[in-house]
Amino acid sequence: MKIGIPREVKTREYRVGMIPSGVEQLRASGHEVYIQKGAGEKSGFDDADYREAGAIVLESAKEIYDQCEMIIKVKEPQPEEYDLLRPAQILFTYLHLAPVPDLTRVLQEKQVIAIAYETLQEENRLPLLDPMSQIAGEVAPLVASYFLSAHTQGSGVLISGATGVAPAKVLIIGSGTVAKSAAKVAAGMGADVLIMGRNRSAMSNLEETLPENISTIYSNRYTLEKILPTVDIVIGAVYITGERAPKLITKEMLSLFKKGSIIVDVSIDQGGCIETSRPTTHEEPVFEMDGVLHYCVANIPGSYPLTSTQALANATVKYAKRIADLGWREAVKQDDAIYSGVNVAGGFVTNAPVAKTHGIAYHELRDIIDQCPLYEVHS
């Protein structure tokens, strides 16, 4: 199979979909790998590294999309990439389709085989979401601490406090990987950390494994409204596989916050768990509403590409190789994890939460797989 790695075009997205060791693995199985010039530079890998591993370096994204049956990316296609997609082409990347109806429609119209990292499940785990959830969670307290400073219009509270002065209070909403990672770093910075969730088993595990300056509390609206006036930082860390994130903090609740406090909505990829959140970029990461700063960058790990690229690529290559070795049809028949990752195929939406969110008919993949067009080889 011909596999293509284009350069990411999302604002300040410095990761790349594959590292040279992944190229070597695919080449050893007889596949051809094409990468766009300069795609790996910000992740610490230059074109010579990829050539040495056996990749063919091409100048433009169009060449990559025109020649390759499978495209491996990091972030969802941006509008300027829509026209590059081709029928029956495999797209393996983060998609987060629930809040993006236009992209869902394009993938249908183009009859792309769209396999999403974030819905691929194996033994009740999300093996391709977890590495980036860990990094996003670890970064969240760092950026929150920075934007609490007075020169960024924050409250001027130092997250660690000082001798005789109480530390910042951090509320983390959620109890998964993002929450655990955020709590670990926030606690390590000296903050007073409270995790609010509904999964009692997960919260019990967090209490047993995390430092003593972390406590947990069961999530409900009444308790949330009582806590919000006491916190300096809120980290939204809610993820329901494939679905839009529920709006747990409403616009009206902003009046409960301290002025100059900050929200870091890590759930923004799935629409955000704060009603007032909207996607921001690394160029303009925050906005203020009702005296509360909102940090809603949709690609937080993209700022740390030397770490995050390797963590992601090491996780994805096994599945990419299986898809390439077997072809996507046989791969989904043999591998339930890959099956669960397919969101759109042959013009059909095959992920139930995405279909429900957009009011589109849902089709079980196994029922429509034979209706999907075959990929046409172009010379």
Side-chain angles (χ1 to χ4, degrees), residues 292-311:
V292 180
L293 294 175
H294 293 58
Y295 179 98
C296 307
V297 174
N299 58 328
I300 292 174
S303 281
Y304 300 89
L306 268 71
T307 299
S308 56
T309 286
Q310 293 184 61

Side-chain angles (χ1 to χ4, degrees), residues 20-33 53-54 321 325:
S21 61
V23 174
E24 287 185 341
Q25 291 180 56
L26 290 168
R27 290 282 297 143
S29 292
H31 306 295
E32 297 178 21
V33 181
K321 183 176 181 300
D325 287 348

Side-chain angles (χ1 to χ4, degrees), residues 36-58:
Q36 188 178 353
K37 182 179 179 181
E41 286 180 355
K42 293 290 187 179
S43 294
F45 303 103
D46 61 25
D47 294 341
D49 294 324
Y50 286 100
R51 288 193 182 98
E52 185 178 350
I56 299 169
V57 178
L58 299 178

Side-chain angles (χ1 to χ4, degrees), residues 16-17 74 83 87 94 132 164 187 294 305 330 375:
V16 65
V74 177
D83 287 342
Y94 287 117
M132 296 303 97
H294 293 58
E330 194 59 33
Y375 179 80

